[in-house]
Amino acid sequence: MKSTDTVEVVLKGKTDNRVISVTPDHSVYEAIEKMAAEGVGAVLVISKDHLVGILSERDYARKVILKGRSSKETQVREIMTSPVVFVTRQNTVEECMAIMTKHHFRHLPVVAGDSVVGVVSIGELVKWIISGQAQTIQELEGYITGKYPG
């Protein structure tokens, strides 16, 4: 588990790699309801099998609540973030973290061709790197104490 691992390896390690999505025509209320039911902070916006946007809790807070709009009367298309920044399976964990840090994203869709194959969150990537560091520390401790296999 290294920062140079590809997103493909991270996706394979996930226990649940479902893509949670709504359409641009859904109401923001329906999208938020779906996020709550699924326990996620963002949903992808997919129209005719194409990724057209992403909607996060942050979008909701800033573009609906703070503007005094009604979530039941506002369509997802009106507040979604578009175009969507995405990565491919070949991008590394390090590259994804750099993209997310630069743009202040917490979720990053993974696309293969025209299809969305998953989503990685900043939390998953941080956890991946921490696990790798823990493994390295364990190996170094073993080397220092002479218990390192070799």
Side-chain angles (χ1 to χ4, degrees):
M1 297 183 172
K2 306 176 296 277
S3 63
T4 55
D5 288 336
T6 63
V7 172
E8 183 169 29
V9 177
V10 176
L11 290 177
K12 285 181 180 176
K14 289 177 71 167
T15 54
D16 184 4
N17 193 34
R18 293 177 303 133
V19 174
I20 313 298
S21 67
V22 295
T23 69
D25 299 323
H26 274 103
S27 72
V28 171
Y29 182 87
E30 291 169 313
I32 295 297
E33 203 172 40
K34 189 170 214 173
M35 283 188 237
E38 297 290 344
V40 296
V43 290
L44 300 184
V45 184
I46 297 179
S47 178
K48 299 177 184 163
D49 295 327
H50 287 86
L51 178 63
V52 296
I54 188 166
L55 180 71
S56 69
E57 292 169 332
R58 185 179 290 169
D59 291 321
Y60 172 66
R62 293 180 179 176
K63 299 172 185 173
V64 176
I65 297 294
L66 290 178
K67 303 240 186 213
R69 298 172 82 173
S70 165
S71 61
K72 289 185 177 181
E73 294 173 12
T74 304
Q75 287 185 316
V76 167
R77 75 173 70 253
E78 297 174 57
I79 69 160
M80 68 185 187
T81 298
S82 182
V84 181
V85 174
F86 61 87
V87 294
T88 68
R89 291 177 173 145
Q90 290 72 41
N91 285 94
T92 65
V93 169
E94 191 173 316
E95 290 168 335
C96 292
M97 290 192 71
I99 291 166
M100 295 168 101
T101 301
K102 178 183 177 186
H103 297 285
H104 304 285
F105 296 153
R106 295 178 188 203
H107 302 88
L108 198 54
V110 182
V111 174
D114 287 337
S115 301
V116 177
V117 295
V119 177
V120 289
S121 72
I122 191 73
E124 290 166 339
L125 298 180
V126 167
K127 185 177 174 183
W128 187 267
I129 289 174
I130 289 171
S131 294
Q133 290 172 340
Q135 182 180 353
T136 300
I137 289 168
Q138 196 171 27
E139 290 170 0
L140 288 171
E141 286 175 342
Y143 177 75
I144 290 167
T145 59
K147 296 177 185 173
Y148 187 75

